[in-house]
Amino acid sequence: MAQAHFSAERLDELNLLCLFNLDTSQEGIKVHSSAAPEAVSAAERLHAKGLVTQADGGYLTPRGREAAHHAQELSGLLDPAKLTT
């Protein structure tokens, strides 16, 4: 099996998914055109993949909600402050 890794673009997408508040489906995000180019591109890619409702963010789709949940869970698992030995 090939060794998996996260590209810079994928990391940008994961970072954007981590910004969503999963406690409610009534809250979205807006990536302004003046935001970092990486964030603008990540939002556009997430929209093209059907994970968010708008090319500049918007709301999570059901599939996007699942992706955001996994992204946020992975981030929490990898957070050194939360690791215990």
Side-chain angles (χ1 to χ4, degrees):
M1 178 175 196
Q3 186 176 16
H5 69 281
F6 292 115
S7 67
E9 287 183 344
R10 188 64 34 91
L11 287 172
D12 293 336
E13 293 169 6
L14 290 168
N15 284 330
L16 202 59
L17 287 170
C18 285
L19 296 178
F20 282 91
N21 179 358
L22 295 179
D23 292 334
T24 179
S25 60
Q26 302 300 311
E27 187 177 321
I29 64 168
K30 168 81 170 164
V31 179
H32 294 273
S33 59
S34 61
E38 300 83 17
V40 173
S41 296
E44 291 170 352
R45 288 191 305 276
L46 291 174
H47 180 254
K49 293 175 183 179
L51 300 179
V52 295
T53 59
Q54 301 291 321
D56 62 354
Y59 298 95
L60 292 167
T61 65
R63 187 170 172 225
R65 189 166 185 75
E66 181 180 355
H69 172 76
H70 288 299
Q72 292 179 24
E73 192 169 85
L74 178 60
S75 177
L77 288 170
L78 296 176
D79 185 349
K82 296 180 182 177
L83 292 177
T84 61
T85 55

